[in-house]
Amino acid sequence: MESKLVIYNTLTRQKERFEPINAPHVGMYVCGPTVYGDPHLGHARPAITFDLVFRYLKHLGYKVRYVRNITDVGHLEHDADEGEDKIAKKARLEQLEPMEIAQYYTNRYHQYMDALNVLRPSIEPHATGHIIEQQQLVQQILDNGFAYESNGSVYFDIEAYNKKFKYGILSGRSLENIKDESRELAGVGEKRNQADFALWKKAQPEHIMRWPSPWSDGFPGWHCECTAMGRKYLGEMFDIHGGGMDLVFPHHECEIAQAQASMGHPAVKYWMHNNMLTINGQKMGKSYNNFITLEQFFTGNHPLLEKAYSPMTIRFFVLSAHYRGTVDFSNEALQAAEKGYEKLMNAISDLERITPSENSENSEISEIVKKLREKCYDAMNDDFATPLVLSYLFEACTVINKLVDHKATICADCLKELSETMRLFAFDILGLKEEKGNGSDAREEAFGKVVDMVLDLRAKAKANKDWATSDQIRDALAAAGFEVKDTKDGVTWKLNK
């Protein structure tokens, strides 16, 4: 199938036409969370970014196998090779089994991703479930002469690798620069080169999570899991590998080296990276102690938050910037996203109130509607330009408002096209959804009936020419935050937040 989609490949540093290796099948691997704490806004951005990619590729007709891993072992506290395992540390502090910690926070991650309307991946493998595959990877790299054993641990030999291939092709770093940056790392006594990274670590006596291996009782290095699991589920070469830009080095750089060293060829055709979410220009994350969890966003329970923000406000906020651009957190930006989201949802809801014209229509409106779908597709095909898509949908919102206010007319076919296009891009592709209020559906239904009853009383007052009562009801509703409109088709209302 011919593709018009163009994506930015981090490896080549340019936009490339998307041509899957085995179309219509597409293999996509995205680095998932390390499950030792509640997900924060920094977790939301890659999840939403690659959910968008997943949705759009499927919409284009590709058969996508989307693999997103769960890191539940091997991600150490200090760096990729040294320190205490993050999950093991949490388990020790809370006196729980490591897998209790991993399962609890995996469940929490799913809960918040569901709230953000992030689709579940095709496969969600856990690092601890693929120890054998990681050991096989390590053995292949050893057999090919690109690794060495030292005191029961196995390290990747960057010098040997760099003689045949080139280390640093993704990040653009030279081997000499990498050596200089890593001179102060602990544990260099076991390494031939301070820049070498661990493939297998011998477990110290106090280390809880350990497995038998030909080299020692130990655990795999953090970088091994994605290489091993990507190859198992997507083959020796697949289409897309994604993650946050903070993973370019060292994690993804090491993945590239592991694949080349074990198979003799690259494993990934397109590397995609979303940029960072920042607070006052600094990356948001646990290591910086400046993160805000998704639960805190949804409840408003954080000193930096002026109010609670709904899951769809967060999703809209993320999509309102291009995935490769930096997004800086602020209450003003989130409140603007909230208003934008509500404007879009209100316009889509208002489509049901429009009656098509049987006689004539506004040619300008017709032209906007006819071009809307094409413009949205062009934006998505240009490296998933969601800000442009939203701008085109907002242009359509202006059209809808004119139609609702009877300031323009539209034919039945154009109205159908407008409605289908708005719902396609807002719901199916961008993954937004209409949110209910904090109450239950039953309470919201009862709430609506009460408002309708009050408006019915106002209508009766108007019919009796009791203008004072009619105006009093209208003004009281306005003071309570309701917007009431009298149209030739009847009275409509909505609650303004």
Side-chain angles (χ1 to χ4, degrees):
M1 58 191 295
E2 185 178 354
S3 172
K4 295 182 179 179
L5 174 62
V6 174
I7 64 177
Y8 183 87
N9 190 344
T10 311
L11 184 64
T12 61
R13 296 168 180 78
Q14 62 185 9
K15 291 182 181 179
E16 299 177 9
R17 186 171 298 279
F18 180 63
E19 296 176 340
I21 298 166
N22 188 29
H25 298 275
V26 172
M28 181 169 79
Y29 190 102
V30 174
C31 291
T34 302
V35 284
Y36 70 102
D38 269 344
H40 54 75
L41 193 58
H43 291 116
R45 192 170 196 193
I48 292 170
T49 295
F50 292 101
D51 180 62
L52 174 79
V53 175
F54 185 33
R55 287 171 179 272
Y56 192 58
L57 290 177
K58 290 201 301 178
H59 171 71
L60 293 179
Y62 293 109
K63 298 178 180 179
V64 185
R65 177 175 289 174
Y66 174 19
V67 181
R68 186 185 66 205
N69 69 295
I70 295 290
T71 297
D72 53 4
V73 69
H75 198 171
L76 304 187
E77 187 183 11
H78 295 156
D79 58 50
D81 292 345
E82 299 300 327
E84 191 172 3
D85 186 287
K86 292 181 178 181
I87 291 173
K89 179 182 179 181
K90 190 86 170 181
R92 176 176 56 78
L93 292 174
E94 298 190 14
Q95 297 185 320
L96 296 171
E97 284 291 327
M99 288 301 98
E100 269 186 285
I101 296 294
Q103 188 64 57
Y104 175 79
Y105 286 111
T106 298
N107 293 344
R108 298 278 285 178
Y109 179 76
H110 288 155
Q111 174 187 343
Y112 291 109
M113 292 307 106
D114 289 347
L116 292 167
N117 205 26
V118 170
L119 300 175
R120 298 289 177 94
S122 313
I123 304 172
E124 192 173 54
H126 291 232
T128 53
H130 297 78
I131 299 297
I132 292 174
E133 288 84 358
Q134 293 177 78
Q135 290 180 351
Q136 290 170 341
L137 171 68
V138 175
Q139 189 62 59
Q140 286 177 322
I141 297 173
L142 276 166
D143 292 344
N144 291 341
F146 297 110
Y148 56 91
E149 183 181 350
S150 177
N151 297 327
S153 294
V154 180
Y155 293 96
F156 190 92
D157 191 335
I158 287 185
E159 291 271 17
Y161 176 83
N162 204 53
K163 289 176 182 177
K164 184 171 182 180
F165 304 103
K166 185 178 185 305
Y167 186 79
I169 59 173
L170 186 65
S171 62
R173 303 186 184 203
S174 70
L175 183 58
E176 288 307 312
N177 287 340
I178 294 167
K179 285 181 182 178
D180 291 340
E181 290 171 5
S182 56
R183 289 189 192 282
E184 301 303 320
L185 288 180
V188 295
E190 289 188 347
K191 302 180 183 181
R192 294 177 184 172
N193 186 308
Q194 53 268 56
D196 293 346
F197 59 89
L199 299 172
W200 185 265
K201 285 288 290 182
K202 180 180 179 180
Q204 298 303 311
E206 68 275 9
H207 201 96
I208 307 172
M209 304 173 80
R210 60 175 67 215
W211 290 263
S213 80
W215 316 289
S216 65
D217 280 4
F219 53 93
W222 171 41
H223 310 305
C224 287
E225 61 183 275
C226 295
T227 305
M229 295 189 292
R231 182 166 66 182
K232 175 173 177 128
Y233 295 111
L234 299 174
E236 289 199 351
M237 188 164 186
F238 55 91
D239 298 292
I240 297 173
H241 195 318
M245 197 164 284
D246 57 327
L247 296 178
V248 169
F249 185 87
H251 187 49
H252 289 166
E253 197 74 80
C254 293
E255 280 195 61
I256 289 176
Q258 289 171 161
Q260 288 269 20
S262 62
M263 300 183 295
H265 61 78
V268 179
K269 187 173 182 181
Y270 304 98
W271 286 89
M272 291 183 67
H273 295 90
N274 63 273
N275 213 321
M276 298 296 99
L277 280 161
T278 59
I279 296 181
N280 297 323
Q282 186 180 48
K283 175 193 167 186
M284 181 183 292
K286 287 187 172 67
S287 58
Y288 296 96
N289 199 31
N290 67 350
F291 65 97
I292 304 174
T293 69
L294 292 175
E295 179 180 34
Q296 288 168 329
F297 272 105
F298 299 163
T299 62
N301 185 24
H302 191 281
L304 291 175
L305 297 174
E306 293 179 3
K307 55 177 287 187
Y309 298 98
S310 74
M312 286 303 100
T313 296
I314 299 299
R315 187 175 181 108
F316 190 98
F317 172 67
V318 171
L319 294 172
S320 62
H322 191 272
Y323 77 90
R324 287 193 287 113
T326 303
V327 178
D328 197 50
F329 158 83
S330 71
N331 282 279
E332 292 77 13
L334 282 168
Q335 286 163 23
E338 183 177 64
K339 290 178 180 177
Y341 164 72
E342 289 174 358
K343 177 180 178 180
L344 183 57
M345 291 302 105
N346 287 337
I348 292 174
S349 177
D350 284 345
L351 283 164
E352 298 177 4
R353 298 164 45 200
I354 299 171
T355 303
S357 171
E358 296 180 2
N359 302 317
S360 63
E361 69 172 331
N362 186 305
S363 60
E364 181 184 356
I365 298 293
S366 176
E367 191 67 18
I368 292 172
V369 171
K370 288 176 181 177
K371 290 182 177 179
L372 177 61
R373 186 183 294 253
E374 181 183 357
K375 288 165 68 176
C376 288
Y377 272 126
D378 286 346
M380 285 298 297
N381 286 333
D382 185 14
D383 196 30
F384 310 97
T386 54
L388 265 181
V389 174
L390 288 171
S391 72
Y392 297 143
L393 295 181
F394 282 142
E395 288 178 11
C397 290
T398 302
V399 169
I400 292 169
N401 290 337
K402 288 181 179 179
L403 294 169
V404 169
D405 293 339
H406 304 288
K407 295 178 179 177
T409 56
I410 190 170
C411 70
D413 287 344
C414 274
L415 178 59
K416 180 182 178 184
E417 169 66 11
L418 176 59
S419 180
E420 289 178 352
T421 302
M422 293 290 287
R423 287 182 166 86
L424 168 64
F425 283 93
F427 298 147
D428 297 346
I429 293 174
L430 296 183
L432 298 168
K433 64 179 181 180
E434 293 180 293
E435 287 181 316
K436 299 292 184 182
N438 293 328
S440 67
D441 290 347
R443 282 192 296 168
E444 287 175 10
E445 184 178 352
F447 178 77
K449 287 180 179 179
V450 170
V451 177
D452 289 339
M453 181 181 69
V454 172
L455 289 174
D456 187 50
L457 292 173
R458 178 173 177 264
K460 288 178 180 177
K462 288 179 69 176
N464 294 329
K465 297 185 179 181
D466 183 358
W467 310 118
T469 300
S470 172
D471 291 346
Q472 184 181 11
I473 293 173
R474 181 200 61 204
D475 294 343
L477 287 171
F482 292 92
E483 181 181 334
V484 177
K485 285 187 178 182
D486 293 301
T487 73
K488 70 176 186 179
D489 298 319
V491 181
T492 64
W493 65 271
K494 66 180 179 181
L495 178 61
N496 294 321
K497 293 186 180 179

